[in-house]
Amino acid sequence: MEYLDFELPIKELEEQLDKCELIGKESEVDMTESCKNIEKKLLKTKKDIYKNLTAWQRVQLSRHPNRPYTLDHINFLTNGTFMELHGDRTVKDDKAMVGGLGKIGDQSFMFIGQQKGYNTKTRQYRNFGMSNPEGYRKALRLMKMAEKFGVPVITLLDTPGAYPGLEAEERGQGEAIARNIFEMTRLKTPIITIVIGEGASGGALGIGVGDRVYMMENTWYSVISPESCSSILWRSWEHKEEAAEALKLTAVDMKKQKLIDGIIKEPLGGAHYDREGAFKEVEKTIISAYSELKDLTPKDLVKKRMDKYAEMGEFKA
């Protein structure tokens, strides 16, 4: 397990607990009581740290290298039924954007999401979760296929942003994202969107228009990353903590502003501490959201979705 800077007190206690258990095994000394005391202290320390997280600390947790990614969620949710679909039928298959059909229970869903890598090789292969225009066009193709066959769509957001390279702009990055946003507002099938990690800028919004939008507890969703915001306003990344607070990018902030529909609770310490527990919470949320949407007619579905987004940003003095 890798530890973030604010998690170092937890690391120390876990190391103490390991030593305590080892001494108990290798000697005749009864260490049961000592180990229990360390466990109690460890639990209290965890609760104290994780209930008082700053916005920047939540950003750090959303990027944790052990955090489950899109395919981890999909593989658990679909229990071996997932069939990945490839290509945008124009340029190529974007490995940063994954999608395909799978079942949760007896219900089929079209899953779409950004996928990051676990090591240097896979990060390069997945382009660090940054999609090119063909990734957004692949996503739109799959959404249209889902609409045609009456299959609900689930989108999982986890990206530092759309790929900003010259070749992406040449192939119409801005148009591809704008087209997706436009088409998703009027897609005649339910869309459930979940931010499972980073939700940065148009790169996330390109698959982020949903009838129900949720954020996992330790994720962020914003027009810009704290580092980039800091570099623009202060000409330095040193003020990223201040930028994170000012951007109001956490799940709690987004719910308060009525920009999302709910927050998915994570296990103590984050999704990477108990992957299965995190997956089950996501599954529960999806099933609940779909049960609210499945009986709506396509016309009502689109109207409610458009009304939902039209109401965002309203201010009453």
Side-chain angles (χ1 to χ4, degrees):
M1 178 67 72
E2 292 189 39
Y3 295 87
L4 300 168
D5 52 1
F6 64 88
E7 294 178 310
L8 292 178
I10 295 168
K11 182 185 178 184
E12 287 172 18
L13 286 167
E14 286 183 345
E15 286 173 353
Q16 285 177 29
L17 184 60
D18 289 340
K19 281 179 188 174
C20 182
E21 289 171 348
L22 190 64
I23 292 166
K25 283 178 186 175
E26 293 181 349
S27 69
E28 294 177 3
V29 181
D30 184 7
M31 300 294 289
T32 309
E33 197 61 37
S34 297
C35 290
K36 278 184 180 176
N37 288 336
I38 296 170
E39 279 179 356
K40 282 179 186 174
K41 194 175 178 184
L42 176 60
L43 183 61
K44 186 181 182 303
T45 303
K46 278 186 177 180
K47 284 179 177 176
D48 289 344
I49 287 173
Y50 294 118
K51 77 178 179 185
N52 295 307
L53 291 174
T54 65
W56 173 246
Q57 286 168 343
R58 291 199 189 277
V59 171
Q60 287 179 290
L61 278 174
S62 77
R63 298 168 175 169
H64 199 287
N66 300 120
R67 191 175 178 85
Y69 295 142
T70 293
L71 283 174
D72 299 315
H73 283 273
I74 291 172
N75 289 332
F76 178 88
L77 293 168
T78 58
N79 195 25
T81 63
F82 180 62
M83 180 179 68
E84 190 174 350
L85 301 170
H86 300 273
D88 70 337
R89 300 292 184 266
T90 307
V91 181
K92 64 176 182 178
D93 183 41
D94 189 337
K95 305 300 182 187
M97 186 77 75
V98 296
L101 290 161
K103 284 188 173 184
I104 298 177
D106 295 325
Q107 177 61 49
S108 294
F109 290 92
M110 180 67 80
F111 292 89
I112 299 165
Q114 290 106 350
Q115 176 67 22
K116 293 178 178 177
Y118 298 93
N119 53 38
T120 303
K121 191 174 181 180
T122 56
R123 282 174 192 139
Q124 288 176 330
Y125 180 72
R126 297 291 182 185
N127 200 33
F128 300 87
M130 297 186 292
S131 294
N132 278 280
E134 47 272 19
Y136 293 101
R137 290 177 181 130
K138 172 166 75 170
L140 183 57
R141 180 175 76 82
L142 299 184
M143 288 181 218
K144 286 292 188 182
M145 184 191 294
E147 180 185 53
K148 182 178 179 181
F149 295 107
V151 176
V153 174
I154 294 171
T155 64
L156 303 172
L157 278 53
D158 188 14
T159 179
Y163 183 58
L166 180 63
E167 61 271 32
E169 298 299 338
E170 286 174 344
R171 293 196 298 274
Q173 185 73 286
E175 188 278 336
I177 292 170
R179 173 65 57 184
N180 276 26
I181 294 169
F182 173 70
E183 294 290 350
M184 286 181 84
T185 57
R186 58 183 193 171
L187 200 73
K188 296 180 179 68
T189 193
I191 308 170
I192 300 164
T193 295
I194 301 171
V195 183
I196 61 167
E198 298 184 89
S201 194
L205 203 57
I207 58 166
V209 179
D211 298 292
R212 296 287 184 275
V213 180
Y214 301 95
M215 288 176 70
M216 294 189 75
E217 194 177 358
N218 296 309
T219 62
W220 63 277
Y221 201 8
S222 175
V223 70
I224 194 170
S225 72
E227 295 94 330
S228 298
C229 178
S230 175
S231 68
I232 291 169
L233 296 181
W234 287 280
R235 309 282 187 213
S236 165
W237 279 22
E238 289 177 11
H239 297 270
K240 53 188 181 289
E241 290 93 342
E242 290 173 63
E245 290 293 339
L247 285 166
K248 304 295 180 190
L249 43 64
T250 66
V252 172
D253 292 323
M254 294 292 283
K255 183 74 172 68
K256 204 173 177 182
Q257 300 293 335
K258 298 181 181 176
L259 298 172
I260 61 168
D261 299 289
I263 300 168
I264 302 173
K265 192 161 176 57
E266 292 186 27
L268 185 65
H272 56 287
Y273 266 96
D274 178 7
R275 287 179 165 227
E276 193 169 325
F279 296 149
K280 283 179 179 174
E281 286 298 318
V282 170
E283 182 177 32
K284 207 187 299 177
T285 302
I286 290 169
I287 291 167
S288 172
Y290 180 62
S291 68
E292 294 172 9
L293 299 168
K294 65 181 180 180
D295 295 326
L296 293 173
T297 64
K299 188 178 178 181
D300 286 342
L301 200 65
V302 172
K303 185 182 184 305
K304 282 177 179 289
R305 192 185 304 143
M306 286 195 167
D307 289 346
K308 169 191 168 83
Y309 282 90
E311 286 167 11
M312 286 182 184
E314 279 189 2
F315 178 77
K316 289 176 185 176

